[in-house]
Amino acid sequence: MRDRIDFLCKSILAIKTAGRLVLGIDGLSRSGKTTLANQLSQTLREQGVSVCVFHMDDHIVARAKRYHTGNEEWFEYYYLQWDVEWLTHQLFRQLKASHQLTLPFYDHEADAHSKRIVRLSGSDVILVEGVFLQRRDWKPFLDFVAYLDCPREIRFSREKDHVKQNIQKFMNRYWKAEDYYLQTEEPIKCADVVFDMS
């Protein structure tokens, strides 16, 4: 992991100009995005770079909007898990110039949201990590994208045992959406750098 972090730090410093740099960390579920984002942000701060991190899973919608909607399960996961249009305008379009954002943060246990203010003033780098990050709605707002490529078998092995029991959910919901993303957006081809996480 250290060599990847060092590479990203050098890349960020090399392309950093006036204003904020928005760095995306993309990859499918359990590929290591959160771990990389947390370690990278810590390393950048140690080097005196001000960083703000966004985890897209913090901003999913309530269950009723993404389950049992009458659509296919993969469609619910890809298109309905997030309010894509709202996030495009209220998060991604604001990353370069806004001083603060008011965003809904999702509580998984309560299946409810609480609004929080995120202050961006003084941030040199904005790190955004999440699955399907290079969808066409969001990709234009990312200055640099790292894609974490990890085989499905390894990612599945990282799931909790009780979660792995419902293999049908993975087949109908998650894996079909992942295949759709890989085919339609070609994230590996479009990323600025691809890390092999196998």
Side-chain angles (χ1 to χ4, degrees), residues 63-71 76 173:
R63 287 184 64 83
K65 293 184 177 180
R66 53 190 164 92
Y67 280 95
H68 312 298
T69 66
N71 294 288
E76 292 177 327
R173 190 176 190 89

Side-chain angles (χ1 to χ4, degrees), residues 40-189:
L40 176 60
S41 63
Q42 180 181 339
T43 302
L44 286 169
R45 288 181 183 119
E46 289 169 357
Q47 296 181 10
V49 178
S50 176
V51 184
C52 184
V53 181
F54 289 94
H55 304 281
M56 293 309 295
D57 278 349
D58 287 340
H59 309 293
I60 63 175
V61 300
R63 287 184 64 83
K65 293 184 177 180
R66 53 190 164 92
Y67 280 95
H68 312 298
T69 66
N71 294 288
E72 291 188 49
E73 290 184 64
W74 75 266
F75 184 96
E76 292 177 327
Y77 180 47
Y78 189 80
Y79 284 107
L80 305 181
Q81 185 94 347
W82 298 265
D83 186 335
V84 173
E85 185 177 355
W86 191 92
L87 287 168
T88 300
H89 294 286
Q90 302 301 321
L91 173 62
F92 285 94
R93 284 186 183 277
Q94 309 301 320
L95 291 177
K96 286 286 194 179
S98 291
H99 296 294
Q100 68 179 36
L101 303 175
T102 302
L103 298 171
F105 281 75
Y106 181 69
D107 181 330
H108 288 265
E109 290 186 14
D111 187 32
H113 293 86
S114 59
K115 288 199 172 178
R116 298 184 210 164
I117 293 174
V118 180
R119 303 193 188 285
L120 299 179
S121 55
S123 296
D124 299 313
V125 173
I126 306 290
L127 268 181
V128 185
E129 69 89 4
V131 68
F132 309 144
L133 198 57
Q134 292 183 85
R135 64 172 79 227
R136 61 199 63 192
D137 307 83
W138 298 343
K139 177 80 159 85
F141 304 103
L142 306 172
D143 296 314
F144 189 93
V145 178
Y147 183 85
L148 309 191
D149 189 23
C150 187
R152 178 172 290 167
E153 304 76 39
I154 294 177
R155 294 186 292 106
F156 185 65
S157 72
R158 294 171 179 166
E159 298 285 353
K160 294 176 182 174
D161 288 336
H162 75 276
V163 174
K164 286 193 269 190
Q165 299 303 314
N166 191 356
I167 189 71
Q168 283 301 122
K169 183 174 184 179
F170 283 89
M171 293 174 67
N172 295 330
R173 190 176 190 89
Y174 302 127
W175 294 342
K176 279 187 180 180
E178 291 176 355
D179 290 343
Y180 176 81
Y181 179 58
L182 292 173
Q183 290 166 13
T184 58
E185 303 296 354
E186 299 184 295
I188 295 173
K189 179 180 176 182

Side-chain angles (χ1 to χ4, degrees), residues 26-45:
D26 187 20
L28 302 178
S29 180
R30 302 290 182 198
S31 58
K33 300 180 299 298
T34 303
T35 301
L36 179 62
N38 290 340
Q39 292 183 9
L40 176 60
S41 63
Q42 180 181 339
T43 302
L44 286 169
R45 288 181 183 119

